[in-house]
Amino acid sequence: MAVPGDPPDGTPEGIGGGDEEFRSDEYRSVVFDEDFVRAARLQEFSAQERMGEHARAVRSRSMWSGGSSRPRTSTPGRGARQGMLLVLLIAVAFAVAVYMGLSNPALPPATGRAEPLTSTVVPLAPSTAVPGGRPVDLYAKSPAADYRVGAAGINLPGARRTHHFTEGQVVTALSIAKDYLVQSSLDPDVLAGAATRPVRVLLDPDQTDQFDRSMTTPSGDGRHAVTGWLVRFDPGTAVVADTRVRVSGTLAIDEVSADVLEVITDHTFVYAVRPATGSPAAADGASLFTVRRELKLRFDREDLTARRAELVTAYVMAGPQDCSTDPAEGFRPVLAGAGPATVGPAASDPYASGTPRRTAGLCGVLAPPTPAGEAPVSPAP
């Protein structure tokens, strides 16, 4: 009778029949003892474990168990704790995102719509016959003899940070203001009335409708004068005879609120012009035309990022002009050799430093220009 552990077909021939001979070391290596079989059995979770963790009813031995045959016991509530940890991480990430958004000066909330432009354009009538000659000679005998040429005459002041704006943001506001002055006062196509886009692209979008209406249907109503936005000569009256416009003036910046910077520009531009129908080669056909522009520009943080400006006010004096003409559409200079047809109530000197004298009416008298190196003549009281 076979005993447990005997081969199925009995003891092979040539091998001793004793138990000790059969259970030799060589043959024992392929026999599974009871301990091995018992350890290899699948283990089931208890009913309590399955209800608490919703785990699989049967678990296999994992490589992470370190080779131990002892099952890992699940802790009730572990999923709930993981969920709470996930919610906490999301809340912390959201709080960090909100803090970074509020602390980033480049991404502030909108500060509202830009104000419409309010402009005043005052023609200055000549008090004597307008001198004529070559541009270089006219400049040399005028107060503009020491002015710089073009954009070089628009100097930026030293920039310092304000309470709510960095030094870089202050520099940006000043440079945008300079760009506006260059495009609106010195661009040859803008001066001739052939282009407006170089100025338009520098304006806040809230002001573009007002700007477009001013260009298409100009009016002297204080809101829609072309010459409130830019310098333009009536192409039927005069053209620029020398592109080397003489410029002098100042820029000043101030923080008017936690979200707004304001730049005040005050510059005198002196142009050499000639009759639109005359010969460009005429040696003595030019005359000088002076424009004094005082602009107030504002910049919120969005404007600084987009490199644009809000033109709030413009006070402009320009001459020599006839006071009977409306300068809203474009300047019509009184040219070389001509005298005034009408005169205004008070003299105004566009070359005088400091705040320009604002006339009580809509016309002034152009004070006689003082040659460079001489004391200026004060305007009449």
Side-chain angles (χ1 to χ4, degrees):
M1 182 175 187
V3 295
D6 286 344
D9 297 330
T11 304
E13 294 182 2
I15 302 179
D19 288 341
E20 295 296 328
E21 293 179 354
F22 175 74
R23 297 180 182 274
S24 63
D25 291 338
E26 180 179 1
Y27 192 74
R28 189 190 304 266
S29 63
V30 297
V31 175
F32 301 128
D33 59 17
E34 291 181 0
D35 291 338
F36 182 87
V37 173
R38 187 179 300 109
R41 291 175 181 173
L42 297 176
Q43 300 177 6
E44 294 186 8
F45 285 113
S46 68
Q48 182 178 0
E49 289 176 331
R50 291 196 299 270
M51 293 178 64
E53 284 290 324
H54 300 284
R56 292 179 298 175
V58 178
R59 63 181 176 222
S60 60
R61 295 170 61 84
S62 170
M63 62 179 292
W64 304 107
S65 64
S68 174
S69 61
R70 183 176 180 178
R72 297 169 60 186
T73 303
S74 299
T75 303
R78 179 181 177 185
R81 288 197 300 271
Q82 291 178 342
M84 292 178 63
L85 179 59
L86 179 60
V87 172
L88 179 61
L89 290 175
I90 294 175
V92 171
F94 180 78
V96 171
V98 171
Y99 174 78
M100 294 298 293
L102 293 176
S103 63
N104 187 352
L107 299 173
T111 57
R113 292 182 59 85
E115 297 180 15
L117 167 67
T118 300
S119 62
T120 301
V121 183
V122 179
L124 300 178
S127 58
T128 60
V130 177
R134 298 184 306 169
V136 62
D137 296 330
L138 293 172
Y139 281 131
K141 298 176 181 179
S142 77
D146 296 329
Y147 287 8
R148 293 187 176 183
V149 175
I154 306 174
N155 298 314
L156 300 184
R160 299 179 61 183
R161 65 169 294 122
T162 65
H163 188 63
H164 296 96
F165 290 87
T166 66
E167 180 179 333
Q169 290 172 319
V170 171
V171 171
T172 298
L174 290 169
S175 64
I176 297 172
K178 178 174 179 176
D179 288 345
Y180 189 87
L181 287 171
V182 170
Q183 299 302 328
S184 64
S185 309
L186 300 175
D187 187 296
D189 291 333
V190 172
L191 298 177
T196 59
R197 189 176 184 277
V199 179
R200 189 181 190 274
V201 296
L202 292 174
L203 291 171
D204 187 286
D206 292 340
Q207 293 187 312
T208 53
D209 287 344
Q210 183 187 9
F211 177 83
D212 293 340
R213 179 180 170 185
S214 301
M215 298 302 111
T216 56
T217 55
S219 171
D221 60 358
R223 294 294 182 92
H224 301 95
V226 171
T227 47
W229 299 94
L230 50 84
V231 176
R232 173 187 288 180
F233 293 100
D234 175 22
T237 302
V239 295
V240 176
D242 187 352
T243 57
R244 295 170 295 179
V245 181
R246 302 314 197 259
V247 185
S248 180
T250 61
L251 292 94
I253 191 166
D254 186 31
E255 178 185 302
V256 296
S257 74
D259 295 308
V260 178
L261 287 173
E262 186 174 270
V263 176
I264 302 295
T265 74
D266 184 4
H267 289 79
T268 300
F269 300 85
V270 185
Y271 306 86
V273 297
R274 61 175 179 80
T277 57
S279 171
D284 57 354
S287 59
L288 297 184
F289 188 86
T290 305
V291 179
R292 176 80 174 264
R293 302 183 77 195
E294 183 184 287
L295 309 180
K296 180 184 293 184
L297 302 103
R298 287 181 182 165
F299 306 86
D300 59 27
R301 299 182 189 276
E302 189 175 355
D303 292 328
L304 296 176
T305 302
R307 291 197 62 84
R308 66 195 186 201
E310 302 172 17
L311 182 58
V312 181
T313 61
Y315 185 83
V316 182
M317 299 188 301
Q321 291 188 92
D322 191 326
C323 286
S324 63
T325 63
D326 184 2
E329 186 173 354
F331 297 129
R332 297 177 174 86
V334 175
L335 299 169
T342 57
V343 295
S348 298
D349 184 3
Y351 294 95
S353 60
T355 303
R357 177 187 177 92
R358 287 167 166 75
T359 62
L362 296 179
C363 185
V365 176
L366 180 64
T370 303
E374 298 183 13
V377 178
S378 299

